[in-house]
Amino acid sequence: AALGLSALSGNAWANEAVTSIVKALDPVKTLPPPPAPGSAEEAAELDELRGIMQTRTSEQLAKATWDDAHEDPSAFIEALGPTYDLKALPQTAKLLSITEDTAEAAAGRSKKYFKRLRPYRIDNSINGCGASGDSPNSAYPSGHATIGWSLAVVLADLAPERSEILLARALDYNQNRMICGSHFRRDTEAGRTLGALVAQDILLAPEVKAQLDAAKAEMAAARAKAGVR
């Protein structure tokens, strides 16, 4: 991932924290099932995506394509603003890496259970950002939405003065998965739900507390240096 904020191999306690949180969360029991194949609900979601394909602008598609390639904290650099340089905040970077890895694991576990077909596998007129790296039956929940929402909530806790901007960016990040044609609306909504739960557990997990405190201190120092209250 960008900024080197992922892949915690070699960091045993962080890997254990990720495993513990995902196991306790049990996303398979947390999320409702997606609409059944061939159901009226699925048909309505397909119609919505067909409409998006017809009305999206080239600018919207370009932004969605950029988001598609940035499933990591770099998607929130602009929303954080110039006060915070993630490359110069190693404790924050480590916390975000744990958050990202936890969200990715939670979404992956759910995808393997629900096995929802991607919309472009049902209707090839739904397309946009490419699908070369996607498993065909990994639509639900959206991994981008899960990771994006979890990162936004954790960052909002670390930088409360930027919370509205960060959460608005997360909503835009979710919507861009539909502009890409990669996910149905229910997929992004499930990702938002799961991401919020991941963030909540990250912020409350005893095994992450020391890292969270270090990140908060680091972010507070960055605020003070910039003169931001």
Side-chain angles (χ1 to χ4, degrees):
L3 301 175
L5 298 183
S6 127
L8 287 168
S9 57
N11 195 335
W13 77 265
N15 287 324
E16 289 173 6
V18 170
T19 301
S20 175
I21 291 170
V22 173
K23 183 178 180 180
L25 180 60
D26 196 358
V28 171
K29 292 182 179 178
T30 300
L31 297 175
S39 66
E41 291 84 358
E42 182 189 75
E45 287 194 297
L46 283 166
D47 282 344
E48 180 181 25
L49 286 175
R50 292 183 188 110
I52 289 173
M53 298 302 102
Q54 294 172 0
T55 59
R56 69 188 178 194
T57 66
S58 57
E59 181 183 9
Q60 287 175 324
L61 181 56
K63 289 180 178 178
T65 301
W66 190 93
D67 281 356
D68 182 66
H70 295 83
E71 194 175 6
D72 56 63
S74 65
F76 293 91
I77 289 175
E78 185 176 341
L80 271 173
T83 299
Y84 307 104
D85 178 4
L86 292 180
K87 292 180 181 179
L89 300 170
Q91 299 302 324
T92 303
K94 187 178 289 187
L95 178 68
L96 295 179
S97 184
I98 295 168
T99 303
E100 179 185 344
D101 286 1
T102 306
E104 184 176 9
R109 182 177 176 184
S110 300
K111 287 173 182 285
K112 288 179 181 178
Y113 178 80
F114 289 112
K115 293 183 170 63
R116 189 180 195 191
L117 206 61
R118 295 270 183 172
Y120 52 75
R121 297 285 182 171
I122 302 171
D123 182 346
N124 61 16
S125 74
I126 298 170
N127 60 74
C129 302
S132 58
D134 293 334
S135 171
N137 58 348
S138 60
Y140 185 91
S142 164
H144 276 74
T146 305
I147 291 171
W149 198 258
S150 65
L151 290 171
V153 173
V154 169
L155 284 168
D157 187 75
L158 298 174
E161 81 284 2
R162 304 291 295 178
S163 60
E164 289 187 13
I165 297 170
L166 287 161
L167 295 178
R169 170 63 177 129
L171 287 173
D172 183 58
Y173 195 71
N174 280 22
Q175 180 65 20
N176 281 345
R177 303 310 292 150
M178 297 175 65
I179 291 173
C180 271
S182 297
H183 287 285
F184 299 98
R185 180 172 296 279
R186 296 282 186 88
D187 306 339
T188 65
E189 290 174 348
R192 178 179 172 182
T193 297
L194 188 56
L197 291 171
V198 166
Q200 175 182 281
D201 284 359
I202 290 288
L203 295 173
L204 295 176
E207 58 267 51
V208 184
K209 186 179 187 305
Q211 190 60 53
L212 175 62
D213 289 345
K216 284 186 174 182
E218 192 175 61
M219 294 283 276
R223 270 195 301 278
K225 183 178 180 181
V228 175
R229 294 183 178 180

